Structures are given as structure tokens and as C-alpha cells.
């Protein structure tokens, strides 16, 4: 019997098929056996357990066909889906539904088809248990009854398969929950969980408490909770004050030093709250805390760094203030003062850029020299630099950068770098005990005379820079060229 209008939509049928997750699955013996029985009982060379999607029919099991799927538009089963239960085609060449069908009028020249619907638990057609032959034929009552029983077995196998999938999914869900629970329990060892009675006597001691404090549960049961506090806090009855606060407010959150079994201290944060029994009566206290020593130390380090940064900023501002005031005081004009201030502050900024890369821990002298000479491009090829790449302290980086700026600026304006033939030799060496010697030597430039007055730059080079190296700076003006000798100590 063929139904003219199904009682379901195609979307509903496809959703039901998808729920079984049967498409594109490997062959299974249970389904292969059903196809073999159908072929043997019905006496057909071809038997198929198939499921019909929107574009193809998938053969879960097949005998005599040799393929796992075919397009749905040339399939017999798409017509069988419209049957109430079973569709039989004695001779496809005489059935107008198969006019032009390549499976009928070409290889494999199918003629006979009999298929019983395989349905979902809700009665939606999913595919068929079918047999096919290359010649016209009929089935007897016994064969038809067997084919129906086999189709029912396919549906049963589907439901068993779905039930197994659901059971496996449920087991997987349970395993995930168990795994999550284990993770929670395992992570709880990072927390100390302690309960006490109303007098503050310990009644339970978690594995996390043992890990953090070092005492086992057997060592702590019946002991006062104050045992985990430092001597000073025990003397001030901090445990009693915590319980009183928890009684009044419902929960006391705090942090402070605690003591381990071995006597070492650690910084902990946590809370204590009343432990309630039946009828919401208070039966003791629950104290949860966690070792926060690393966080506490990190915060202390941050405060120290902030303080150090503030100190450095004040020093930098003092240096800038000195540069501004001294530059204006010794400048011949306001414009000259502005130029001197700008160039010196830029030199200071370049030195600070170097230090920023190392968090102000110091910098290599080679980088300091290169950065200080960078603005004086006219000296390229006429400045020789030689010495080991030792590390200077932050103050030494600032001081030497300013000194090199003053020396290079003077050389470019009046000294050896103002002449095409002029040269500058920069060298340094390190001796025993970090003894440090630095030299700036100009030559082949204009004749040099002793200046009639010493400006801020000269005073900076001689007095200030030497102090950063716990040594002396000597600036000389021989006729052959300006020289600067610095002696001191690294670090």
C-alpha cells in the first residue's frame, strides 16, 4: 500500500535518522547476518540493509551489491519510504516509477525489488530491509513474513545501538563528573580546612592543612587552633578575637603570619565562620586559609620597586633641574641656554632609554658609548673605540653618558671633530678588583688652548662623573687636543 501523503515531514524523518548516528558507520556483524539471512531465505542475489538520507542511501549491510552507497534519486528505497510497511516491485521495467532509471536499464539491470520499512521508535521510516534480483519474480508468504521479521530486527538493532550509545554517553558524563570531583578534591590540598568546637579546639584537620602546616590530623585533634599562630599572636589571643568577630558578623576575612610545625612562618589569607548544626545552632567554627607567601612577597617587592622608582625619578628630576639651572647660568645667551638644555636633556633621555631595557639594573659600556656618540654623525670613521664590554651601574650609565655628550659636543664645535683631519680615541680597561680607567683623547684637530673659564660641562665631566665611579675625572687641554682621564671602580 502506498500513502499519498506522509503523516510526517521530511525534516522530522531526517532528524530521527540523524539521532541514531548510523550513517557512514563501519560494517557490523549483526547487520551483515540479517542481510545474509534475507538473501538466503528469499533466494535473491542481492540483499541490503539501507538508510535513506536527503541525498543518498547508505548501505549498512549488503550482499551481492559491492558498494556502500548510491544517490537517492535513482534508488528504489526512496519510493519504499512512501509505503505503509512494504513495497514490492515484481518487474521494474513495467513500473513507470523506474522509467529511465540507470539501475534498471543498465548495469546491474535490476528487475525485482521487495523492501520492508525500517522505522524509528516513533514510527518514522529510516530505510529498508530489502532484497533485489536481476530478473522478475515474486515472494511467497513465508519469504515476506521473514523479510518483515528481519526488518523488525534491524529496528531492534538500531534501538539497542542507540541505547548503548546513550549508556556510554551517560557513563562518560559520570566519568567527567568523577574526574571534576577528583580535581576539586585534589586542588583542595592547597587550602587548609580546619574545624573547631566552640572553645576553639580542633575537631578536624584536612589533607590541605597537613600539607600547609606540616602537622598530621592525629597531631592536631584536640589541640587549640591557636597552635597555628605565631607566638606574638597567641599572646594577644588572635584566635579568640577571630572567633568573636565571626560570631558577630557571620564571617571574618583576614590575612597575616602563621606558623608551621617546623617553626617557619608563612603569610596566609582566609576566613573563619561559625559552623552550624541542626536547627541552625552554632556548634563550632570553620577556618579556611591558603598560603599566600609568594603573593605577599611579590607585593612587597612591588612596593620596593615603586619606592625605588620614585627615588630614581626624584634623582632624575634633580639632575634635570641642575642641568637647566646651570645651563642657563653659564650660557652666553638665552638661545644658547635653550640649545644646551635641550641637547643635555636628550643625552639624559638616551641614557634612560638604555636603562629602561634592563629595568635600571645597569648597561654595557659599549652601548652607552655608541648611544652617546650617535648624534655626532660627522665623526664617523674618525672615532676609534676600544675596550671590553663591561657592565656599568645605573648611575655610572647616566654620568658617563652626560660626560660623553659634553665631550662630543665640544669636539664637534671646537675640537678635533670640527676639522676633517681630526680624530678621537676612546679606550678603557678594567684591572684587578674592578679598577676602571677610561680615556678620551683628541688629536689632529685645531690647536687647543686652556679655557679662560670653566663652564657647567667641564665641571660635570670633572667633578660629577668621577664621583659615580668612586674615583676622579681629569679634563686637560694640551695643544694637540682635549683629553679626559677617568679612574675609579665599576659597580
Amino acid at each position: 500500500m502506498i500513502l499519498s501523503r506522509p503523516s510526517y515531514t521530511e525534516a522530522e524523518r531526517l532528524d530521527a535518522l540523524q539521532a541514531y548516528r548510523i550513517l557512514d558507520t563501519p560494517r557490523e556483524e549483526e547487520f551483515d547476518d540479517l542481510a545474509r539471512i534475507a538473501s538466503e531465505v528469499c533466494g535473491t542475489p542481492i540483499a541490503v540493509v539501507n538508510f535513506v538520507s536527503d541525498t543518498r542511501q547508505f548501505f549498512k549491510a549488503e550482499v551481492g551489491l559491492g558498494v556502500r552507497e548510491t544517490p537517492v534519486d535513482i534508488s528504489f528505497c526512496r519510493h519504499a519510504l512512501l509505503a505503509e510497511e512494504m513495497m514490492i516491485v515484481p518487474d521494474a521495467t513495467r513500473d513507470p516509477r523506474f522509467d529511465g532509471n540507470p539501475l534498471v536499464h543498465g548495469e546491474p539491470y535490476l528487475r525485482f525489488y521487495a523492501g520492508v520499512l525500517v522505522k524509528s521508535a516513533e514510527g518514522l521510516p529510516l530505510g529498508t530491509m530489502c532484497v533485489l534480483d536481476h530478473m522478475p519474480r515474486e515472494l511467497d508468504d513465508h519469504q515476506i513474513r521473514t523479510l518483515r521479521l528481519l526488518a523488525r530486527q534491524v529496528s531492534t538493532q538500531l534501538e539497542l545501538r542507540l541505547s548503548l550509545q546513550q549508556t556510554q554517553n551517560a557513563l562518560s558524563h559520570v566519568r567527567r563528573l568523577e574526574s571534576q570531583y577528583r580535581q576539586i578534591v585534589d586542588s583542595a590540598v592547597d587550602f587548609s580546612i580546619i574545624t573547631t568546637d566552640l572553645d576553639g579546639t580542633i575537631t578536624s584537620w584536612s589533607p590541605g592543612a597537613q600539607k600547609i602546616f606540616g602537622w598530621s590530623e592525629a597531631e592536631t585533634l584536640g589541640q587549640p587552633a591557636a597552635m597555628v599562630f605565631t607566638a606574638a599572636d597567641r599572646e594577644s589571643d588572635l584566635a579568640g578575637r577571630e572567633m568573636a568577630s565571626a560570631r558577630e558578623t557571620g564571617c571574618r576575612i583576614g590575612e597575616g603570619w602563621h606558623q608551621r610545625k617546623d617553626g617557619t612562618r608563612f603569610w596566609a589569607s582566609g576566613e573563619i565562620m561559625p559552623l552550624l548544626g541542626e536547627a541552625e545552632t552554632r556548634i563550632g567554627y570553620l577556618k579556611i586559609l591558603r598560603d599566600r607567601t609568594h603573593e605577599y612577597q611579590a607585593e612587597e617587592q612591588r612596593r620596593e620597586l615603586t619606592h625605588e622608582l620614585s627615588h630614581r625619578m626624584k634623582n632624575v628630576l634633580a639632575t634635570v633641574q641642575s642641568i637647566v639651572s646651570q645651563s642657563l647660568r653659564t650660557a652666553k645667551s638665552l638661545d644658547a641656554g635653550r640649545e644646551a638644555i635641550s641637547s643635555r636633556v636628550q643625552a639624559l633621555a638616551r641614557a634612560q632609554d638604555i636603562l629602561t631595557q634592563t629595568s635600571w639594573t645597569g648597561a654595557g659600556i659599549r652601548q652607552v658609548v655608541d648611544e652617546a656618540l650617535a648624534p655626532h654623525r660627522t665623526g664617523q670613521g674618525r672615532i676609534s673605540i676600544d675596550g671590553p664590554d663591561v657592565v656599568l651601574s645605573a648611575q655610572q650609565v647616566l654620568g658617563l653618558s652626560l660626560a660623553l655628550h659634553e665631550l662630543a659636543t665640544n669636539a664637534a664645535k671646537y675640537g678635533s671633530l670640527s676639522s676633517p683631519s681630526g680624530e678621537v680615541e676612546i679606550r678603557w680597561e678594567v684591572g684587578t678588583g674592578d679598577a676602571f680607567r677610561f680615556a678620551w683623547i683628541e688629536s689632529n684637530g685645531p690647536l687647543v688652548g686652556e679655557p679662560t673659564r670653566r663652564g657647567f660641562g667641564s665641571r660635570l665631566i670633572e667633578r660629577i662623573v668621577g664621583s659615580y665611579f668612586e674615583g676622579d675625572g681629569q679634563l686637560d687641554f694640551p695643544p694637540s687636543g682635549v683629553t679626559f682621564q677617568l679612574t675609579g671602580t665599576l659597580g
Side-chain angles (χ1 to χ4, degrees):
M1 176 181 181
I2 304 299
L3 298 178
S4 59
R5 180 176 299 175
S7 60
Y8 56 86
T9 66
E10 179 65 4
E12 290 172 338
R13 190 189 73 81
L14 292 174
D15 286 344
L17 176 61
Q18 185 63 32
Y20 287 94
R21 298 182 181 180
I22 193 69
L23 297 179
D24 298 316
T25 56
R27 298 187 70 142
E28 297 177 45
E29 193 68 24
E30 294 81 0
F31 292 95
D32 287 342
D33 287 345
L34 296 177
R36 282 192 289 266
I37 293 172
S39 175
E40 292 173 2
V41 171
C42 296
T44 59
I46 301 172
V48 176
V49 176
N50 79 89
F51 299 96
V52 183
S53 74
D54 54 341
T55 60
R56 62 194 172 112
Q57 58 178 354
F58 169 70
F59 304 140
K60 178 62 178 175
E62 56 83 20
V63 172
L65 204 56
V67 295
R68 295 300 305 278
E69 66 176 50
T70 59
V72 72
D73 56 354
I74 62 173
S75 71
F76 282 69
C77 295
R78 73 186 179 97
H79 298 288
L81 293 181
L82 299 175
E84 184 175 359
E85 182 185 8
M86 183 176 185
M87 182 181 85
I88 298 178
V89 180
D91 186 352
T93 60
R94 297 177 178 277
D95 193 318
R97 290 175 296 179
F98 303 103
D99 287 346
N101 190 306
L103 300 178
V104 175
H105 301 284
E107 288 290 344
Y109 296 105
L110 298 176
R111 294 290 183 270
F112 171 75
Y113 172 89
V116 179
L117 290 181
V118 173
K119 296 183 179 181
S120 71
E122 296 77 23
L124 296 173
L126 307 176
T128 65
M129 172 77 254
C130 62
V131 292
L132 301 97
D133 203 339
H134 304 292
M135 60 184 65
R137 59 173 301 160
E138 295 283 352
L139 295 181
D140 59 30
D141 291 343
H142 169 68
Q143 292 170 325
I144 291 174
R145 184 168 60 253
T146 301
L147 200 60
R148 285 173 173 164
L149 291 174
L150 292 175
R152 193 180 307 164
Q153 284 301 309
V154 173
S155 297
T156 300
Q157 287 295 327
L158 274 184
E159 294 303 326
L160 289 174
R161 199 173 183 280
L162 179 61
S163 177
L164 178 61
Q165 289 176 352
Q166 292 171 340
T167 301
Q168 290 173 337
N169 291 340
L171 288 174
S172 296
H173 181 64
V174 170
R175 292 190 189 101
R176 285 195 298 271
L177 291 178
E178 289 178 348
S179 176
Q180 292 170 2
Y181 176 75
R182 284 196 301 270
Q183 291 175 18
I184 293 172
V185 172
D186 291 344
S187 67
V189 298
D190 293 331
F191 292 86
S192 168
I193 303 174
I194 306 168
T195 61
T196 73
D197 61 17
L198 293 174
D199 296 326
T201 301
I202 296 173
T203 56
S204 73
W205 185 264
S206 73
Q210 178 171 340
K211 176 185 175 183
I212 292 173
F213 286 102
W215 285 291
S216 67
E217 185 176 33
E219 293 175 298
T220 58
L221 293 181
Q223 298 296 319
M227 66 184 293
V228 303
F229 291 105
T230 63
D233 288 338
R234 288 197 298 271
E235 186 176 346
S236 66
D237 191 26
L238 178 58
R241 288 186 282 118
E242 279 189 345
M243 290 188 293
S245 177
R247 283 195 303 272
E248 295 171 3
T249 63
C251 180
R252 182 188 186 279
I253 299 174
E255 56 183 9
W257 291 108
H258 288 65
Q259 185 169 298
R260 293 188 175 92
K261 179 181 179 180
D262 61 9
T264 58
R265 299 196 314 164
F266 68 96
W267 187 266
S269 63
E271 56 188 290
I272 181 172
M273 62 197 74
L275 189 63
L276 304 179
E278 295 180 3
E280 298 297 306
T281 57
R282 191 166 56 247
I283 60 174
Y285 296 92
L286 171 66
K287 183 178 177 68
I288 303 173
L289 59 82
R290 192 172 190 181
D291 186 348
R292 293 290 187 182
T293 306
H294 292 307
E295 291 87 341
Y296 177 78
Q297 291 172 338
E299 179 62 20
E300 286 295 296
Q301 185 179 28
R302 186 193 66 78
R303 291 194 189 99
E304 291 176 3
L305 289 175
T306 301
H307 176 74
E308 179 65 20
L309 179 61
S310 176
H311 178 68
R312 288 172 181 168
M313 288 298 297
K314 289 178 182 178
N315 287 342
V316 170
L317 291 174
T319 302
V320 172
Q321 184 179 19
S322 176
I323 288 173
V324 172
S325 62
Q326 294 294 332
S327 297
L328 290 175
R329 184 179 303 170
T330 59
K332 296 179 179 179
S333 66
L334 186 59
D335 288 341
R338 289 197 193 99
E339 182 181 352
I341 291 170
S342 176
S343 63
R344 286 165 178 163
V345 170
Q346 288 179 19
L348 183 65
R350 284 193 294 273
Q352 290 173 335
D353 287 342
I354 295 173
L355 291 172
T356 299
Q357 298 172 17
T358 62
S359 300
W360 282 72
T361 58
I365 189 173
R366 177 74 61 170
Q367 184 182 9
V368 174
V369 173
D370 290 342
E371 289 292 334
L373 297 178
H376 305 282
R377 301 302 183 187
T378 56
Q380 282 186 329
R382 293 185 290 125
I383 301 176
S384 64
I385 302 172
D386 183 53
D389 193 14
V390 294
V391 176
L392 305 179
S393 69
Q395 285 294 91
Q396 290 171 348
V397 169
L398 294 175
L400 187 60
S401 295
L402 291 174
L404 288 171
H405 166 75
E406 297 297 329
L407 290 166
T409 300
N410 184 74
K413 288 183 177 180
Y414 315 109
S416 61
L417 295 182
S418 68
S419 170
S421 60
E423 297 178 344
V424 174
E425 178 186 1
I426 302 173
R427 64 173 184 263
W428 63 87
E429 59 185 26
V430 180
T432 305
D434 287 334
F436 181 68
R437 293 179 61 85
F438 181 91
W440 169 288
I441 303 172
E442 299 182 26
S443 61
N444 298 326
L447 291 176
V448 174
E450 187 75 25
T452 56
R453 57 187 290 271
R454 295 293 183 99
F456 169 63
S458 297
R459 292 197 299 274
L460 184 151
I461 292 172
E462 289 187 305
R463 301 176 187 175
I464 300 177
V465 178
S467 66
Y468 291 158
F469 290 84
E470 297 182 355
D472 297 305
Q474 180 65 44
L475 184 64
D476 293 311
F477 300 88
S480 59
V482 173
T483 64
F484 170 64
Q485 302 287 337
L486 171 65
T487 60
T489 304
L490 291 178

